[in-house]
Amino acid sequence: MVRRNRDDWTEIALRALAEGGLGAVAIEPLAARAGATKGSVYHHFPNREALLKATVERWEREHTEKVIELVEAEATPHDKLRTLFSTVLDRTRKGSVEMALQAGAEHEVIAPVLQRVTQRRLDYLTELFEQLGFDREHAKKRALIAFSLYLGQVQMWSTLPGLVEPVLDEAVQVLTAHHAAVAHNA
């Protein structure tokens, strides 16, 4: 029997979350799936809520903070936005933890992490649009549109995978076009 550490269990729980939603993060089935005893899980986590909290915090680090670090390596705001979209949309195709968390948004463990992540993502997108020359108000609106587009794509990949076409280049082109903001102000 393989010994599992804390990171192993949060990785196993993330996969279960992506595949089966919040209900799939249950100690006995996870242990059975991993070929371990439930005592192995309890060695690292006192209960399901602690495992779930560690799992969503890992998701927060890997799918928000690490993505932002990767994006910040790009030279221009336009390249940053394109890299951001391509990275998050590519990761989404591999299983949707995002949709599982959105579906469980009312859960006491999920809610604060999801709210924190959403605000962090919107703030970061707003910064990118400001770097592209949009005033604060328009940058916030574009950030919300970009985030909504992302969530829509995530949902469609989850529920209608055969209908989704990559729209990365078109999305970046539309979101970064200044003429729409200028025309709206005219």
Side-chain angles (χ1 to χ4, degrees), residues 89 92-93 96 98-99 148-167:
L89 292 177
T92 299
R93 283 180 237 169
S96 188
E98 186 84 41
M99 280 298 97
S148 298
L149 174 65
Y150 162 69
L151 288 178
Q153 290 280 286
V154 170
Q155 178 66 41
M156 289 178 73
W157 264 309
S158 296
T159 58
L160 305 164
L163 294 180
V164 179
E165 292 181 30
V167 294

Side-chain angles (χ1 to χ4, degrees), residues 32-184:
R33 175 182 183 163
T37 66
K38 62 184 181 177
S40 174
V41 183
Y42 286 119
H43 176 75
H44 299 286
F45 304 98
N47 53 41
R48 177 185 185 256
E49 278 63 37
L51 171 61
L52 189 56
K53 186 173 190 301
T55 300
V56 295
E57 287 173 350
R58 177 182 180 153
W59 168 80
E60 177 179 15
R61 283 188 311 276
E62 292 179 358
H63 292 264
T64 300
E65 297 309 323
K66 285 188 178 182
V67 170
I68 290 172
E69 287 174 24
L70 172 77
V71 168
E72 281 299 304
E74 295 294 339
T76 69
H78 190 274
D79 289 343
K80 289 177 183 181
L81 191 61
R82 189 175 195 301
T83 298
L84 176 62
F85 264 91
S86 65
T87 301
V88 297
L89 292 177
D90 183 55
R91 287 184 178 192
T92 299
R93 283 180 237 169
K94 297 173 185 162
S96 188
V97 172
E98 186 84 41
M99 280 298 97
L101 295 176
Q102 292 289 337
E106 300 301 316
H107 188 279
E108 64 186 11
V109 172
I110 305 299
V113 176
L114 195 56
Q115 288 169 0
R116 188 170 60 236
V117 164
T118 299
Q119 192 58 57
R120 174 71 170 115
R121 290 172 173 181
L122 287 171
D123 290 347
Y124 182 69
L125 282 163
T126 299
E127 288 174 31
L128 283 181
F129 286 112
E130 285 179 320
Q131 290 172 20
L132 284 161
F134 292 96
D135 63 51
R136 183 86 173 152
E137 179 186 344
H138 286 100
K140 284 178 132 180
K141 288 177 183 176
R142 299 263 171 155
L144 188 56
I145 292 166
F147 190 62
S148 298
L149 174 65
Y150 162 69
L151 288 178
Q153 290 280 286
V154 170
Q155 178 66 41
M156 289 178 73
W157 264 309
S158 296
T159 58
L160 305 164
L163 294 180
V164 179
E165 292 181 30
V167 294
L168 175 63
D169 291 325
E170 292 84 354
V172 171
Q173 184 178 0
V174 168
L175 288 166
T176 58
H178 280 272
H179 67 275
V182 173
H184 183 270

Side-chain angles (χ1 to χ4, degrees), residues 7-22:
D7 283 345
D8 293 335
W9 286 117
T10 57
E11 177 62 32
I12 291 166
L14 270 175
R15 274 194 306 255
L17 190 58
E19 294 166 9
L22 201 51

